[in-house]
Amino acid sequence: MNLSRVVVLPMIVALAGGLVLPATAHAQTVPPAVVINRDFPDPEVLQAGSTFYAYSTSSSPGRVPYATAAAAAGPWTVRGDALPQKPSWVGSGGFWAPDVSRRADGRYLMYFTGPSVAAGRMCLGAALADSPAGPFVPTSASPLVCNAGEGGDIDPSSFVDGNGARYLLYKNDGNAIGQPTIIWLQPTAADGITFTGARRELLRNNRPEDQGVIEAPVMVRRASQYVLFFSAGVYTNGGYHTSYATSGALTGPYTRAYRPLLTTASLDGAVNGPGGADVVGDRIFFHGHLSAGGRGMYTAALGWAGDYPVVRGSRVRYEVERGTLNHAYVRTGAAGASQGAVAAGIDYADSWADTTVFAPVAGNYTVHIGYAAGYGDAQHTLTVNGGAAQVVTYPNRGWDNWTQVSADVSLVAGFNTVRLQFRSRWAELDYLEVA
């Protein structure tokens, strides 16, 4: 795919009131920021009062390193080990993907994954503390969940529903032994460690993009649906990614997103292998591979478009033909086009295509325009919400040879209308990707 930059030309824009203003150029989108630039994988983030706490898979220092910050975007400081006491059932090896939540009694509950001596597999444990900084003390001399026959169990995550009901999510590590990997949901009492019902399957590793693995579940309740975030792929390479699935009921069935939420490609390489995500308010936290080694913690703004997540800096695709067309039409059966249809016939002075896009926060974004042009270089006029204009030039690459140009724009928080209007020659529009 050709990622040629858009050509932005000076022009004068005539406004409805007769006033004319020069077109303006804008800075590019803001990529996710690395806020812990050292090995801090599978980050779990909790806000307690005015302080943010983050916990990670074992790295220096200790079994469950933790860090604090006065704001979600940092600066973050790694403090020490939140689980200094080794559980008696655990052998040698690292502790994976901790989860910390505050119980109704005010105490803090940590779920963790550790190597069980008896099972010979990774299993789930629990620990309690009076402070989110710990020290957390194991609640039992045996694992909370440990099913060796299904590959062991990893990646615990707590969820409290709107009615106060508490649940444990986790995955069985079936991919470690050539069996299905399933994300499970199990109800617990208010203490988070007493099970009150049978577990339910929510999702399994049955899609090609999973590369055999799904893991790291995190549940968020929105007004119209439940959103289950998860990671998929092999965490050691750039194919690891974050996706989500939705359901109107907590126990499912869940429908996967058409495209993953965070991939190395959707972030234009700003993060390699984005996974192990957690959501706190209007921020998403996740890890990515660092050039110096290890996986650092990143964060980005998170917004909700009709209760579907959108992350600033990660491309979201919008099909132009599904927007509003004026003196233009939808051409189906377009060879090689996204979903086989495009906006065509944008050939007249009053021809345009309006596409509604979403921005998690106000600011600078990049719009990537999928197009084809075959009779010389074409041009459209681009405006956002009826504001100042810029000219988009589409180099002649040939019809049905779908490629991209990009334009930097300013968006308001929430929904925005991007208009592409005929200016010269002819181009068909496939999609917009906004990051």
Side-chain angles (χ1 to χ4, degrees):
M1 184 176 289
N2 188 331
L3 298 181
S4 301
R5 298 299 298 172
V6 70
V7 178
V8 181
L9 303 177
M11 66 175 292
I12 299 296
V13 182
L15 302 182
L19 178 67
V20 291
L21 294 173
T24 56
H26 305 281
Q28 297 177 354
T29 191
V30 176
V34 58
V35 290
I36 298 182
N37 194 14
R38 47 155 289 176
D39 196 30
F40 202 85
D42 304 313
E44 154 74 5
V45 179
L46 167 77
Q47 183 176 5
S50 59
T51 302
F52 288 83
Y53 294 81
Y55 310 83
S56 88
T57 284
S58 291
S59 60
S60 178
R63 296 182 184 88
V64 178
Y66 80 98
T68 63
W76 286 84
T77 302
V78 178
R79 300 292 183 183
D81 187 357
L83 185 66
Q85 180 179 328
K86 183 179 178 179
S88 60
W89 56 270
V90 169
S92 59
F95 286 62
W96 299 352
D99 174 273
V100 177
S101 62
R102 190 173 187 269
R103 300 196 311 190
D105 64 3
R107 301 195 75 194
Y108 291 87
L109 172 65
M110 175 187 287
Y111 294 129
F112 59 87
T113 305
S116 167
V117 174
R121 294 287 175 186
M122 300 297 284
C123 296
L124 307 184
L128 286 170
D130 295 324
S131 163
F136 283 85
V137 177
T139 60
S140 174
S142 59
L144 182 66
V145 179
C146 192
N147 299 291
E150 60 185 26
D153 304 280
I154 70 171
D155 292 357
S157 177
S158 58
F159 173 68
V160 180
D161 208 347
N163 61 2
R166 181 177 275 270
Y167 298 85
L168 167 66
L169 294 105
Y170 63 95
K171 65 162 278 192
N172 71 283
D173 207 19
N175 52 274
I177 59 172
Q179 293 188 13
T181 293
I182 298 169
I183 292 177
W184 300 96
L185 175 80
Q186 190 158 10
T188 74
D191 63 8
I193 55 178
T194 303
F195 294 121
T196 59
R199 65 181 186 175
R200 295 284 297 268
E201 176 180 336
L202 301 186
L203 213 63
R204 67 170 58 203
N205 60 336
N206 56 6
R207 297 277 286 269
E209 62 268 26
D210 298 338
Q211 300 175 63
V213 182
I214 58 171
E215 56 194 15
V218 169
M219 185 73 75
V220 173
R221 181 180 180 176
R222 299 294 299 172
S224 66
Q225 61 187 3
Y226 293 87
V227 181
L228 174 62
F229 294 85
F230 63 95
S231 297
V234 181
Y235 79 90
T236 56
N237 64 46
Y240 199 58
H241 62 272
T242 297
S243 193
Y244 67 93
T246 60
S247 175
L250 177 61
T251 55
Y254 280 82
T255 301
R256 293 200 192 206
Y258 187 75
R259 289 183 176 85
L261 182 67
L262 302 171
T263 69
T264 302
S266 77
L267 294 167
D268 290 307
V271 184
N272 182 274
D278 195 19
V279 173
V280 179
D282 59 359
R283 307 291 301 185
I284 187 167
F285 299 85
F286 51 95
H287 71 233
H289 295 284
L290 301 172
S291 57
R295 290 169 286 165
M297 186 172 84
Y298 290 77
T299 187
L302 173 71
W304 296 91
D307 287 339
Y308 291 89
V310 177
V311 176
R312 188 178 192 185
S314 184
R315 296 190 186 203
V316 177
R317 179 170 291 190
Y318 304 86
E319 299 292 330
V320 176
E321 72 275 6
R322 296 184 183 179
T324 301
L325 306 183
N326 190 75
H327 204 170
Y329 63 92
V330 176
R331 180 169 74 90
T332 57
S338 174
Q339 300 189 32
V342 298
I346 310 172
D347 301 339
Y348 308 95
D350 63 342
S351 295
W352 66 73
D354 284 354
T355 306
T356 300
V357 304
F358 184 86
V361 294
N364 299 321
Y365 290 79
T366 300
V367 176
H368 307 273
I369 306 163
Y371 80 95
Y375 294 125
D377 295 354
Q379 291 184 330
H380 285 167
T381 301
L382 183 154
T383 57
V384 178
N385 302 326
Q390 57 181 295
V391 173
V392 177
T393 295
Y394 306 106
N396 178 0
R397 308 289 188 199
W399 295 114
D400 284 338
N401 182 21
W402 304 101
T403 186
Q404 291 185 358
V405 292
S406 302
D408 298 319
V409 299
S410 288
L411 302 180
V412 300
F415 291 100
N416 296 258
T417 299
V418 176
R419 173 169 293 186
L420 289 162
Q421 184 165 356
F422 172 83
R423 180 175 172 86
S424 67
R425 291 193 174 269
W426 308 279
E428 294 183 338
L429 299 179
D430 189 0
Y431 58 80
L432 303 185
E433 288 182 343
V434 180

